[in-house]
Amino acid sequence: MQILSFYRLFFTACAVSFFTGIGPAYATPTPVFDLRLNPPASSVSSLNADSRLLATLVTPDMRPLKVISIDKRGRTAVVDALDEKELTVPAARLWIAGAAPKIAMTNITSALPGQNTGASRKLPVRSARVFLSENGNFYAVAYQTDGSYYELRYKDAHGKLLSITAARDAYGLKAVYISDDGSRVLVVDESNGDRGSGEVGQRLSFYDGDGLLLKDYDLGDKIDGWLDTSGIFIARDGSYVAAVRGQGAGQKVVLFDDRGGMVWEKTFFESHKLTEDMGGLFRLKGGNASFINMLDTEGALTSIERSAYGFDIWVSRGREAVYIIMFKDFDLKKTNIAQEVQAAFSGSRTVAIDLTELLPPGNTRPLAAISPDGKAFILYSIDPGGGKPKTYADFYEAPETRKWSDNFFGQDVTPAFVDGSRGYILRFGSPATHLIYYEDR
């Protein structure tokens, strides 16, 4: 799902080229289900291959309780009860749980769960974490016991177990990234200074969909060499992983291939931050703020100068559409901005829109969720007045047709397109206590 922040917003017919081939006519978005969640959901996927959302229900202190599915009529079913009570820890890895002295491991792939490696021990599960693929076709559950030992169980949307992997060191689990097709899983272990043996380091483990280890990197105790997990992107088909290397400083950008091999590592600025992946085209922050920077999987950087003009660009994830979003009053035709954007995104539909007065007076925090085809968006903003904030939401069919508008009490209401087309959910709260699903049909 793509999120775009606007400064001040208003549509005018200021298009470089209007969309053609709009496709089927759509009616006003219609609510399909209105679902209250108790307990609430910390994460909600898009609709998966079974046309069901996956969601992780949590306690007030954010401890996962279960994974559920939600169909398009709002009916729920438990996919995974997360009721594991014990883990069987192989003898060679008991040291990670603080239950035995550390031993030298000559084969990093040895001592996986279920292998006969000597006197294993059963230890209690202390906590669990859940990681959903964006499209809801796959998920992983990490069960944690003592120290930094965990077991990662990788499953499909029905809860069928596909593979089990386990902690490889005492760093502790940091994050898991799953490709939408389920073919690749990246596990990042990283120490936080207060777990296990107290070892400091970061490890990257690349697995295929069957749990086979493809590549393993121990990045050691120097954080300048670690990946910044706030900006790691995995391709939908698992063909690449892009990240910034050097926590805090963001010294380099690195790209890995589908087997975890490093393709390239490049430095463009003094610091870097990847903020968005649009199908192998990455938004890269760094250097002079007057430039918009896009980086592709070949390592080629394209920079578009903003100069004194107030504009930004948004590119749909598949690059079908490029928006030039103007939040200052200027004559686009008297600049070469449109030509530069068209040259940078050859083959994409390009639309320029002037955004200056769409927000109701006094509203703040304007954001937009963009449909997958780039032809519609939901603008939402906060009315803070009277001590009872409201969220205003408007559905627009690009470039200028408003088709739906509503407002809701509270300031934590966020939309997301979830069905690959115009279907979207409104999520109330974080964690979410309420979901409304709309279809534009």
Side-chain angles (χ1 to χ4, degrees), residues 117-410:
T117 57
S120 61
R121 284 179 57 184
K122 289 187 176 181
L123 296 176
V125 169
R126 303 296 186 187
S127 62
R129 296 173 65 187
V130 177
F131 304 88
L132 305 179
S133 68
E134 183 179 334
N135 65 354
N137 282 329
F138 302 91
Y139 70 98
V141 181
Y143 289 107
Q144 174 102 22
T145 182
D146 298 328
S148 296
Y149 188 82
Y150 65 86
E151 203 171 274
L152 187 71
R153 303 188 180 185
Y154 179 49
K155 303 183 180 186
D156 68 13
H158 302 282
K160 178 183 176 181
L161 182 64
L162 303 176
S163 66
I164 300 178
T165 58
R168 318 185 72 78
D169 49 44
Y171 295 154
L173 180 65
K174 178 68 173 181
V176 177
Y177 303 86
I178 304 170
S179 64
D180 276 359
D181 68 354
S183 67
R184 295 294 183 268
V185 179
L186 170 62
V187 179
V188 182
D189 287 356
E190 181 181 304
S191 55
N192 62 12
D194 61 0
R195 293 199 286 182
S197 68
E199 293 189 357
V200 177
Q202 187 187 70
R203 181 183 293 279
L204 314 178
S205 299
F206 293 81
Y207 296 95
D208 70 9
D210 296 318
L212 175 66
L213 181 66
L214 303 173
K215 194 75 174 179
D216 181 78
Y217 297 91
D218 188 341
L219 300 181
D221 61 357
K222 305 298 184 185
I223 65 172
D224 286 349
W226 294 4
L227 298 193
D228 182 354
T229 55
S230 67
I232 294 180
F233 296 99
I234 187 168
R236 290 182 174 183
D237 62 358
S239 59
Y240 61 78
V241 169
V244 167
R245 195 168 183 182
Q247 291 201 0
Q251 296 175 346
K252 300 176 180 179
V253 184
V254 59
L255 188 85
F256 301 93
D257 64 21
D258 62 342
R259 300 191 65 81
M262 187 181 294
V263 180
W264 49 256
E265 189 174 40
K266 295 192 176 188
T267 298
F268 301 95
F269 315 114
E270 289 187 4
S271 65
H272 308 77
K273 187 174 183 60
L274 291 176
T275 61
E276 197 173 1
D277 177 12
M278 295 151 288
L281 187 68
F282 311 101
R283 183 71 174 258
L284 178 63
K285 286 190 175 181
N288 191 328
S290 294
F291 289 85
I292 299 170
N293 303 306
M294 297 288 179
L295 180 65
D296 65 22
T297 55
E298 301 298 318
L301 183 71
T302 299
S303 297
I304 299 174
E305 186 175 5
R306 284 188 266 210
S307 188
Y309 301 109
F311 76 94
D312 205 338
I313 63 173
W314 175 82
V315 186
S316 63
R317 186 160 182 172
R319 283 180 265 178
E320 298 91 352
V322 181
Y323 283 72
I324 303 173
I325 300 151
M326 299 179 291
F327 48 83
K328 269 188 179 181
D329 185 19
F330 67 93
D331 188 346
L332 185 66
K333 294 180 180 180
K334 294 183 178 179
T335 75
N336 62 351
I337 293 170
Q339 291 76 14
E340 288 185 24
V341 171
Q342 288 173 325
F345 303 100
S346 177
S348 300
R349 299 187 300 273
T350 306
V351 171
I353 37 186
D354 183 16
L355 306 162
T356 57
E357 294 180 359
L358 190 59
L359 285 178
N363 276 28
T364 62
R365 290 169 48 192
L367 295 166
I370 314 297
S371 67
D373 62 4
K375 298 175 182 177
F377 69 87
I378 301 166
L379 172 67
Y380 58 111
S381 61
I382 305 300
D383 176 5
K388 296 181 178 180
K390 284 185 178 181
T391 297
Y392 282 73
D394 299 275
F395 181 100
Y396 284 89
E397 188 171 76
E400 57 183 351
T401 304
R402 187 172 71 173
K403 301 180 62 177
W404 170 87
S405 181
D406 210 338
N407 63 83
F408 309 91
F409 283 109

